[in-house]
Amino acid sequence: MAAISAQLASFKSFSSLLNDKKCSRFRCQIKSFGNQHSNWSVEFLSGKESVHLIRNSSPPISMAASAAGSAVKPAKKVCLFYCAETEVLAKRIAAESDAIELRSINWRTFDDGFPNLFIPNANGIRGQNVAFLASFSSPAVIFEQLSVIYALPKLFISSFTLVLPFFPTGTSERMEDEGDVATAFTLARILSHIPTSRGGPTSLVTFDIHALQERFYFGDTILPCFESGIPLLKNRLQKLPDSDKISIAFPDDGAWKRFHKQLQHFPTIVCNKVRIGDQRIVRIKEGDATGRHVVIVDDLVQSGGTLIECQKVLAASGATKISAYVTHGIFPKSSWQRFEHDNGGQPEKGLTYFWITDSCPHTVKEVKCKRPFEILSLSGSIAAALQV
């Protein structure tokens, strides 16, 4: 009402001016007041007649079309299945949206160890959008999950999405010698042959796949959606008290190629490995770490040797704090234990933060509440991807 009164006061003033010039009538249209999409007419009449504010009975066609187009699209209902390893992450995803409904699977085995699987209420998912949250953490669990993944699209569902946060064979994509087996390509071919659902090919959601060329390993019968955990890191960095002193370090040229466009607003440091005799030494190729909180960024970590060497070089080059981020914290044989906390700003002794996502559930269980580790959950990103 205050806004309308202000408008009327302005119009009355203008009306007086018009009356002085012997104008008999002036008409204009106001298409909206606040959030009310209505067609209003304002009339200024000569003499002592007051200003008339008239709301028409219906908005013009263009206005109605605009209001209809701005209506919120209803959320797509999704039935989300999960394996035992991803149960915690699945619950976080479901908590992100009321449109996501969790569905369980009976993961049983026969006496000989082979899977004895059952999908409860299979008829109840007919015509539904279905997703499966997988974790291929070891070859032992891949077969049972593939069995479910191949079965779900055949249950007359409307669409099927496979969410595989970590594509596990990503580092095995090279064939440098005759006899090398590119297991990344093998897994991509297996996933490319998932049966189509009634809605068409399967959609695959995965995060920060290791090698860029692996995007082209998948066949035409699957629709890969390549997501990234970097937005989670950027959001976390903005909340740091020294966010204005952040520099991003890449441990090699491969990491720079993969991530530099998403982090181009930060000062950049690029490291590389050089061979001296039988040793491979990490050096700073470009950039300055002096007085900066340097965050080392890569897609995954296994033993962690390269990250530790980068930390030492950056500390010696004048970094005041050093942290690290990887989307996939694999850490075989509990190699995460190699990473120490810096004890309040001693970069030569350890890391201030080590951020990982929950793409590898086993690691999350091991490092939870252990400094310098901090978990950035993919739940919101996955929930959003399921609405595509």
Side-chain angles (χ1 to χ4, degrees), residues 78-82 129-133 152 157 159-163 386:
V78 178
C79 298
L80 178 61
F81 291 87
Y82 54 91
N129 299 300
V130 174
F132 180 76
L133 180 60
L152 286 171
I157 61 177
S159 68
F160 181 61
T161 301
L162 170 62
V163 182
L386 291 177

Side-chain angles (χ1 to χ4, degrees), residues 51-358:
V51 177
H52 295 280
L53 181 64
I54 306 167
R55 181 174 182 177
N56 294 343
S57 58
S58 61
I61 295 176
S62 59
M63 288 281 301
S66 176
S70 63
V72 177
K73 183 180 179 180
K76 180 175 69 175
K77 298 290 184 180
V78 178
C79 298
L80 178 61
F81 291 87
Y82 54 91
C83 62
E85 291 180 18
T86 59
E87 181 177 1
V88 173
L89 178 55
K91 290 179 178 179
R92 288 177 179 165
I93 295 170
E96 295 283 343
S97 171
D98 293 336
I100 299 175
E101 178 185 354
L102 291 184
R103 295 292 186 94
S104 61
I105 293 172
N106 294 339
W107 301 93
R108 304 171 302 193
T109 58
F110 292 107
D111 291 339
D112 60 1
F114 273 81
N116 176 18
L117 310 173
F118 181 73
I119 302 172
N121 192 24
N123 289 334
I125 63 172
R126 288 188 175 186
Q128 302 295 314
N129 299 300
V130 174
F132 180 76
L133 180 60
S135 176
F136 292 173
S137 59
S138 69
V141 301
I142 292 179
F143 176 66
E144 64 178 11
Q145 292 184 49
L146 282 175
S147 299
V148 170
I149 290 166
Y150 272 56
L152 286 171
K154 296 182 178 181
L155 295 177
F156 295 93
I157 61 177
S158 178
S159 68
F160 181 61
T161 301
L162 170 62
V163 182
L164 182 63
F166 172 49
F167 188 75
T169 58
T171 56
S172 302
E173 85 285 355
R174 295 185 182 90
M175 296 179 63
E176 297 178 346
D177 296 317
E178 189 67 27
D180 284 342
V181 178
T183 54
F185 182 53
T186 303
L187 182 57
R189 284 192 294 175
I190 292 173
L191 297 179
S192 296
H193 285 83
I194 297 172
T196 57
S197 65
R198 293 179 66 187
T202 293
S203 299
L204 169 67
V205 177
T206 192
F207 287 80
D208 292 321
I209 198 164
H210 180 65
L212 298 180
Q213 65 266 25
E214 292 172 14
R215 295 169 176 259
F216 307 104
Y217 288 178
F218 298 93
D220 295 336
T221 53
I222 193 169
L223 304 175
C225 177
F226 298 102
E227 299 285 349
S228 178
I230 294 298
L232 297 175
L233 170 65
K234 292 169 68 174
N235 183 60
R236 183 67 182 92
L237 293 180
Q238 291 173 358
K239 297 177 181 178
L240 295 180
D242 57 351
S243 59
D244 59 332
K245 296 183 179 180
I246 298 292
S247 290
I248 301 297
F250 301 106
D252 52 39
D253 290 331
W256 178 85
K257 291 178 182 178
R258 188 177 298 110
F259 295 126
H260 80 279
K261 288 185 178 180
Q262 297 185 69
L263 296 164
Q264 59 185 338
H265 300 298
F266 294 94
T268 299
I269 301 168
V270 181
C271 301
N272 66 354
K273 294 179 182 178
V274 295
R275 186 178 294 277
I276 300 179
D278 295 333
Q279 291 184 327
R280 298 187 70 182
I281 300 174
V282 175
R283 290 181 175 177
I284 294 178
K285 178 180 177 182
E286 60 181 77
D288 185 8
T290 305
R292 308 292 293 180
H293 180 175
V294 181
V295 180
I296 308 169
V297 174
D298 209 347
D299 63 318
L300 59 83
V301 59
Q302 299 237 26
S303 67
T306 299
L307 289 182
I308 291 175
E309 291 301 315
C310 285
Q311 174 226 326
K312 293 178 179 178
V313 170
L314 293 167
S317 299
T320 55
K321 293 181 183 178
I322 301 173
S323 297
Y325 165 86
V326 296
T327 303
H328 311 295
I330 305 170
F331 296 118
K333 300 179 180 179
S334 298
S335 57
W336 58 268
Q337 296 178 353
R338 300 180 64 183
F339 292 91
E340 302 288 340
H341 187 248
D342 66 357
N343 292 321
Q346 302 178 59
E348 70 281 356
K349 294 186 177 181
L351 301 175
T352 303
Y353 300 100
F354 196 147
W355 294 290
I356 63 173
T357 75
D358 45 5

